[in-house]
């Protein structure tokens, strides 16, 4: 399948097969960017011209999902191709990837790719088996710890496994580098973006995989209502908006600028048509740092935000650009999610992915071969913060249950009710029962992620092997 798709992609472009040079991969991940925060997804007030251009030059997905509704588990799903029912990291806690975990970076490095990560990792603390350089990345620059990543003006970042001192001053700095700077000299997002460009320059003559995990537009939670930290407000400085909303918009537009810089660099090096660029967000929009997601209608037509398993918490933008291969201006309603990146990367680069994943390649959709596109039987999420919850999407049906495993199941028909306003569980008992059984089977118990006793069912859920 992988070789067939790679050959087909090259044939679509009318070019000879480049067996010695499979395509580069760049995966750009925004942090807490909502489904409605980009112009190409309907945002009227925040300017995102370069990402909108990327959508016009590539494919925009309308039914793509994050791995979770918060940072760490979403990134774990992305890297491992396993859903939150049985991946290693299912919530925002200090759990590290283990040596036995397999990441997409390991897969591509074994295939001869240079692998780099700049930005936020969140899947392993300093000195642990979970740091990027022990999980398939040749190079890393950025944040390991999520709380550290709140601070856009930290006193240090990590290069590989060593701390790099910055010129910022952070009084009462937390043990992981979190806090609020009193002297702001070096903005971390700018350093992360520059390191990404440097990685591309260094590896432009060989196949590479770059994971650019931006921290924008996440808030600095330690800064309270002044948490939208950005060096300048730019074109939004004179808008008649609350300061946090000016800051939020400025962060998004700064991110857009740097996506443009990256695309320009690919053209400069003559590798534009050899490079697949994906852009998305790790979960839905936030209500932190003084930002109100309703101000810009950040979730668009969807219900819920970050930390919800309603659509607004997990449905995210996804744009894929590959000149000469992905049809410009294409829009896809294929239902996919972060776990599919592993199989897709394997297909597009001609390597073999592990066979025991929750991962289906969406390469056929990208290449206009819709008749060959496999579909998921279901997508599954579980969440542990506050009141635990589960969600399943199967076809047009979406079911949610809170607390996990024992709560009442809500049911929505997304084709008729995208905003999840009308719970129709009482009218479709057979659908509720079927999706409830999927929830039980998809959840595999873990000593690191204990279901609260009050949420435990009277009988243990079936083992995943029954799926």
């Amino acid at each position: 399948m992988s070789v067939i798709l790679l050959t087909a992609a090259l044939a679509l472009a009318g070019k000879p097969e480049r067996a010695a040079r499979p395509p580069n991969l760049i995966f750009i991940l925004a942090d807490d960017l909502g489904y409605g925060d980009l112009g190409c997804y309907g945002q009227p007030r925040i300017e995102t011209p370069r990402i909108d251009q990327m959508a016009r030059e590539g494919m925009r997905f309308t039914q793509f999902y994050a791995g979770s509704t918060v940072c760490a588990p979403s990134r774990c799903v992305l890297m491992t191709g396993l859903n939150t029912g049985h991946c290693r990291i299912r919530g925002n806690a200090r759990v590290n990837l283990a040596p036995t975990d397999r990441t997409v970076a390991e897969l591509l490095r074994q295939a001869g790719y240079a692998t780099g990560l700049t930005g936020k990792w969140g899947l392993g603390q300093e000195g642990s088996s979970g740091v990027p350089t022990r999980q398939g990345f040749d190079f890393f620059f950025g944040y390991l710890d999520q709380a550290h990543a709140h601070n856009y003006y930290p006193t240090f970042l990590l290069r590989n496994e060593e701390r790099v001192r910055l010129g910022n001053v952070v009084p009462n700095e937390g043990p992981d580098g979190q806090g609020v700077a009193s002297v702001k000299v070096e903005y971390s997002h700018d350093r992360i973006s520059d390191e990404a460009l440097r990685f591309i320059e260094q590896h432009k003559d060989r196949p590479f995989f770059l994971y650019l995990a931006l921290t924008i537009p996440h808030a600095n939670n330690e800064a309270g209502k002044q948490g939208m930290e950005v060096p300048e407000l730019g074109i939004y400085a004179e808008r008649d908006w609350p300061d946090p909303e000016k800051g939020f918009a400025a962060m998004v537009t700064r991110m857009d600028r740097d996506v443009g810089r990256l695309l320009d660099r690919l053209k400069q090096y003559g590798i534009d048509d050899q490079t697949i660029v994906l852009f998305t967000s790790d979960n839905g929009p936030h209500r932190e740092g003084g930002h109100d997601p309703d101000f810009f209608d950040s979730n668009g037509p969807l219900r819920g935000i970050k930390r919800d398993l309603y659509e607004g918490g997990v449905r995210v933008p996804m744009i894929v650009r590959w000149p000469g291969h992905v049809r410009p201006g294409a829009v896809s309603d294929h239902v996919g999610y972060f776990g599919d990146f592993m199989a897709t990367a394997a297909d597009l680069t001609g390597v073999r992915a592990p066979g025991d994943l929750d991962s289906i390649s969406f390469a056929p959709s990208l290449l206009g071969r819709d008749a060959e596109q496999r579909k998921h039987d279901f997508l599954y999420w579980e969440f542990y913060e506050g009141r635990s919850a589960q969600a399943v999407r199967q076809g047009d049906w979406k079911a949610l249950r809170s607390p996990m495993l024992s709560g009442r199941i809500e049911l929505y028909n997304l084709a008729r009710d995208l905003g999840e306003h009308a719970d129709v569980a009482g009218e479709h008992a057979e659908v509720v029962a079927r999706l409830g059984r999927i929830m039980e089977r998809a959840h595999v118990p873990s000593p690191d992620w204990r279901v609260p006793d009050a949420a435990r069912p009277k009988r243990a859920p079936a083992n995943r092997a029954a799926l």
Side-chain angles (χ1 to χ4, degrees), residues 405-455:
L405 301 178
S406 63
R408 176 187 172 276
I409 293 178
E410 303 171 36
L411 182 69
Y412 302 93
N413 186 318
L414 297 177
R416 300 176 182 176
D417 179 24
L418 180 59
E420 296 170 293
H421 301 298
D423 178 0
V424 294
E427 303 165 30
H428 300 278
E430 74 289 351
V431 178
V432 170
R434 183 176 75 244
L435 299 189
R437 289 192 295 270
I438 290 175
M439 289 180 183
E440 291 181 359
R441 299 196 303 264
H443 168 73
V444 177
S446 165
D448 292 322
W449 307 102
R450 299 213 177 257
V451 178
D453 288 341

Side-chain angles (χ1 to χ4, degrees), residues 111-149:
Y113 275 66
T115 56
L117 160 61
T118 69
K120 174 176 163 182
W121 178 236
L123 303 179
Q125 299 294 315
E126 288 183 80
S128 77
S129 61
V131 299
T133 46
R134 304 183 196 184
Q135 290 291 334
F137 286 97
D138 300 318
F139 172 75
F140 165 65
F141 181 86
Y143 297 97
L144 291 176
D145 182 82
Q146 298 163 85
H148 182 206

Side-chain angles (χ1 to χ4, degrees), residues 67-359:
S68 180
T69 186
V70 293
C71 167
S74 194
R75 293 156 198 263
C76 184
V77 172
L78 174 67
M79 285 291 104
T80 65
L82 302 173
N83 69 39
T84 49
H86 65 130
C87 67
R88 177 80 56 186
I89 298 171
R90 308 185 197 179
N92 281 342
R94 297 172 71 90
V95 176
N96 306 308
L97 288 179
T100 53
D101 289 312
R102 297 165 300 184
T103 69
V104 66
E106 289 177 304
L107 182 78
L108 293 173
R109 184 163 70 177
Q110 290 168 4
Y113 275 66
T115 56
L117 160 61
T118 69
K120 174 176 163 182
W121 178 236
L123 303 179
Q125 299 294 315
E126 288 183 80
S128 77
S129 61
V131 299
T133 46
R134 304 183 196 184
Q135 290 291 334
F137 286 97
D138 300 318
F139 172 75
F140 165 65
F141 181 86
Y143 297 97
L144 291 176
D145 182 82
Q146 298 163 85
H148 182 206
H150 293 171
N151 186 0
Y152 283 91
Y153 293 95
T155 61
F156 69 92
L157 291 170
L158 278 292
R159 175 172 280 112
N160 297 325
E161 299 187 33
E162 301 294 328
R163 292 189 176 191
V164 176
R165 306 305 301 185
L166 304 181
N168 307 311
V169 176
V170 181
N172 303 312
E173 182 180 54
D176 297 308
Q178 68 269 43
V180 181
S182 58
V183 176
K184 300 180 178 183
V185 178
E186 296 181 77
Y187 192 58
S188 62
H189 166 83
D190 294 346
R191 288 290 302 269
I192 287 165
S193 297
D194 289 345
E195 290 285 347
L197 297 181
R198 189 171 295 112
F199 178 85
I200 294 172
E201 180 182 15
Q202 291 171 343
H203 300 286
K204 63 183 184 295
D205 297 323
R206 60 172 291 194
F208 65 82
F209 165 50
L210 171 64
Y211 174 28
L212 176 51
L214 302 173
T215 50
I216 282 178
H218 198 291
N220 185 343
N221 294 351
E222 283 69 45
K225 294 186 181 299
Q226 287 74 48
M228 304 314 300
E229 291 186 323
V230 65
E232 62 269 337
L233 299 177
I235 60 175
Y236 306 105
E238 303 304 319
R239 301 288 173 93
D240 185 22
W241 299 346
D243 285 346
E245 309 311 340
K246 294 180 186 180
F248 178 86
M251 293 172 87
V252 174
T253 296
R254 195 179 196 90
M255 173 189 68
D256 180 82
R257 176 202 71 183
D258 290 327
V259 170
R261 291 172 63 208
L262 183 149
L263 296 176
D264 291 343
R265 198 63 61 92
L266 297 177
K267 291 182 180 179
Q268 176 186 335
Y269 296 145
I271 57 173
D272 200 30
D273 65 345
Q274 298 174 26
T275 306
I276 306 163
V277 182
L278 304 92
F279 176 92
T280 187
S281 175
D282 65 346
N283 47 247
H286 67 77
R287 189 184 301 276
E288 298 162 0
H291 172 55
D292 177 3
D294 295 332
F295 187 85
F296 294 114
D297 195 19
S298 288
N299 55 4
L302 310 178
R303 175 182 178 181
I305 60 173
K306 178 181 179 180
R307 296 188 177 84
D308 292 324
L309 289 181
Y310 294 107
E311 292 290 284
V314 290
R315 190 183 292 211
V316 291
M318 170 57 90
I319 302 167
V320 184
R321 178 183 182 273
W322 189 12
H325 306 270
V326 174
R327 181 168 60 85
V331 177
S332 175
D333 63 359
H334 171 67
V335 179
Y337 87 123
F338 276 18
D340 293 337
F341 180 56
M342 177 81 84
T344 305
D347 262 358
L348 292 172
T349 59
V351 301
R352 184 179 297 276
D356 56 347
L357 305 176
D358 309 309
S359 187

